[in-house]
Amino acid sequence: MKTLTVSVVTPDGPVLEDSFDMVSCKAENGELGILPGHIPMVAPLTISSVRLKLENDTKNLAVSGGFLEVRPDEVTILAQTAEKPADIDVERAQEAKQRAERRLQSKQDDIDFQRAELALNRAMNRLDIAR
């Protein structure tokens, strides 16, 4: 069976490079499923999980935005951050979630609500992947 070579790269360096049967991720325009032979495309990613399937095994990564580049036999994910479940500090993610929730609940004018909302989404995504 054909596979895709998947590379996940962040500003800190490569996170993963391996072969998979399918890549599922969430772009700004919706959920994408990429199989070998997919048409070339580039899409912006949202804060979400990337699911990498090889036969009956599925790996998940938490990504915080970035871009997906697809070629017929290769997928490259250029992410702002990308973490494997084992690399996620659950306690730190829970603290970040609580901090963001407090900021969103406060009625202060000096709070950047969009930034707090993004921080909450990142923390929740990391917690979901870690579980």
Side-chain angles (χ1 to χ4, degrees), residues 1-129:
M1 182 172 188
K2 284 188 161 188
T3 59
L4 293 160
T5 300
V6 179
S7 300
V8 180
V9 182
T10 68
D12 294 332
V15 174
L16 176 126
E17 183 156 346
D18 211 341
S19 294
F20 295 95
D21 298 330
M22 181 178 182
V23 177
S24 298
C25 57
K26 191 170 183 182
E28 288 185 0
N29 292 335
E31 190 80 21
L32 295 173
I34 293 115
L35 296 168
H38 196 285
I39 62 167
M41 66 177 281
V42 174
L45 296 174
T46 63
I47 297 169
S48 62
S49 68
V50 174
R51 290 171 306 288
L52 305 162
K53 186 174 180 184
L54 181 60
E55 296 174 3
N56 293 327
D57 186 37
T58 302
K59 292 184 180 182
N60 291 302
L61 295 175
V63 296
S64 296
F67 289 92
L68 169 83
E69 179 187 14
V70 178
R71 286 180 261 160
D73 59 349
E74 189 175 345
V75 173
T76 303
I77 296 173
L78 303 170
Q80 295 166 356
T81 64
E83 293 175 282
K84 298 174 186 175
D87 296 337
I88 295 173
D89 183 343
V90 174
E91 187 176 314
R92 185 171 166 246
Q94 287 173 332
E95 290 170 2
K97 179 181 181 259
Q98 292 168 354
R99 199 170 38 250
E101 287 172 337
R102 281 194 305 272
R103 286 186 181 139
L104 288 170
Q105 290 171 356
S106 92
K107 302 294 182 201
Q108 298 174 4
D109 291 335
D110 63 338
I111 298 293
D112 185 344
F113 285 98
Q114 184 176 14
R115 184 174 168 198
E117 200 168 67
L118 288 171
L120 179 61
N121 290 341
R122 281 191 301 272
M124 289 176 25
N125 183 47
R126 293 177 73 223
L127 289 169
D128 287 344
I129 295 299

